Amino acid sequence: MKLIIGDYNYSTWSMRPWLYVHKHGLPVEVKRYDLFSEDLRQVLLERFSNDKVPVLLDGATEVWDSLAILEYLGERFPDSKPWPEDTEARAVARSVSAEMHSSFGALRNEAPMNLRRQFPGYRLSEEAIADVGRVQAVWRYCREGFANDGPWLFGEFTIADVMYAPVVMRFRSIPVNLDDDAAGYCSTVESDPSVREWIRRGLEETHRVDEDELDWPSKPVTEI
Ligand SMILES: N[C@@H](CCC(=O)N[C@@H](CS)C(=O)NCC(=O)O)C(=O)O
């Protein structure tokens, strides 16, 4: 099985299946390309999946769009326990994962993931601040209702956590007001060894994508 991804520094959608693969040690070969590069364009041209990463190739089977890839990995490797066992928890986990996939447009547009830079004093719009509030409400709802003693949204690590991991990465770069519970969940994500490995790879990259760079004074990030 092969997973085609973009830059570690910028590609939020790539981060999600990569994190699932890495954390569970799944036998998936990762092929990383510079976003918008000719090499990536050529690779994707051979595929039906259009012009976006991530893409998962499993023999003749091609799976695209991050949430579909995660569902497929969960089916192929059920021991990785993609979703909570409890029916209600599983329904909520699927809901918040789908919500991340389809919503939060303002936050996504205004605060691209950029592991290498921090933007002190950067101001989000009211709409994006509302997105930050909704993210925190989602985390609180999951953790209060379903996490029991585990550190992840549903106690154990599930697809819901990988769906929200890139938001935690965005919060590293821009100033946001987080309540203590949300800050605690961010620490759980940021201290995870696989997340740290993703950040390490992002910090090592030098490829720059202009449209993902904020027009705001920044300082470099040197530590994971
Ligand atoms: N909904 C898609 C989004 C994929 C996507 O937008 N990928 C970005 C990288 S993070 C991309 O390939 N951008 C290149 C382009 O838009 O041409 C998913 O969940 O996989």
Side-chain angles (χ1 to χ4, degrees):
M1 232 182 263
K2 193 189 283 185
L3 179 66
I4 301 173
I5 63 168
D7 299 47
Y8 293 98
N9 188 49
Y10 300 112
S11 186
T12 54
W13 296 111
S14 299
M15 182 183 185
R16 294 172 169 108
W18 182 93
L19 184 55
Y20 196 82
V21 163
H22 195 271
K23 190 148 176 68
H24 292 297
L26 304 182
V28 177
E29 182 194 353
V30 175
K31 296 285 287 178
R32 177 249 179 246
Y33 292 88
D34 285 354
L35 283 171
F36 307 109
S37 65
E38 184 55 25
D39 284 353
L40 178 57
R41 202 182 73 83
Q42 289 299 333
V43 167
L44 296 180
L45 262 184
E46 296 167 22
R47 309 280 158 207
F48 178 71
S49 55
N50 212 338
D51 56 353
K52 302 263 192 289
V53 284
V55 177
L56 183 76
L57 304 173
D58 183 14
T61 305
E62 182 174 352
V63 193
W64 65 97
D65 216 285
S66 49
L67 197 47
I69 294 172
L70 288 160
E71 290 275 13
Y72 186 81
L73 290 170
E75 278 183 20
R76 288 297 312 270
F77 304 102
D79 288 350
S80 64
K81 299 203 175 121
W83 298 111
E85 269 174 43
D86 174 73
T87 307
E88 187 193 350
R90 192 163 63 251
V92 173
R94 282 201 157 106
S95 299
V96 298
S97 298
E99 181 175 349
M100 171 44 70
H101 203 251
S102 62
S103 312
F104 304 107
L107 180 60
R108 201 172 278 155
N109 287 338
E110 292 174 33
M113 182 169 83
N114 188 341
L115 303 171
R116 298 196 299 255
R117 315 279 328 162
Q118 276 179 339
F119 302 89
Y122 183 70
R123 295 173 77 98
L124 293 171
S125 68
E126 288 302 310
E127 217 183 341
I129 290 170
D131 281 350
V132 174
R134 175 63 188 172
V135 166
Q136 292 186 84
V138 164
W139 291 351
R140 195 176 316 116
Y141 185 79
C142 299
R143 293 212 23 85
E144 284 180 4
F146 307 99
N148 299 319
D149 290 335
W152 300 101
L153 292 177
F154 293 84
E156 299 289 314
F157 181 85
T158 68
I159 285 177
D161 297 293
V162 303
M163 289 305 290
Y164 281 82
V167 175
V168 176
M169 301 299 101
R170 292 171 203 263
F171 292 171
R172 283 165 61 91
S173 289
I174 51 152
V176 283
N177 287 324
L178 297 180
D179 61 44
D180 288 350
D181 291 340
Y185 177 68
C186 287
S187 299
T188 297
V189 174
E190 286 180 271
S191 55
D192 179 77
S194 294
V195 173
R196 289 172 65 81
E197 178 59 20
W198 175 274
I199 297 171
R200 190 188 68 70
R201 294 182 190 198
L203 294 183
E204 267 181 17
E205 288 175 337
T206 53
H207 176 239
R208 182 186 159 95
V209 175
D210 286 342
E211 44 273 69
D212 281 334
E213 291 288 337
L214 288 179
D215 185 15
W216 189 268
S218 67
K219 54 180 199 185
V221 175
T222 48
E223 284 182 17
I224 300 172

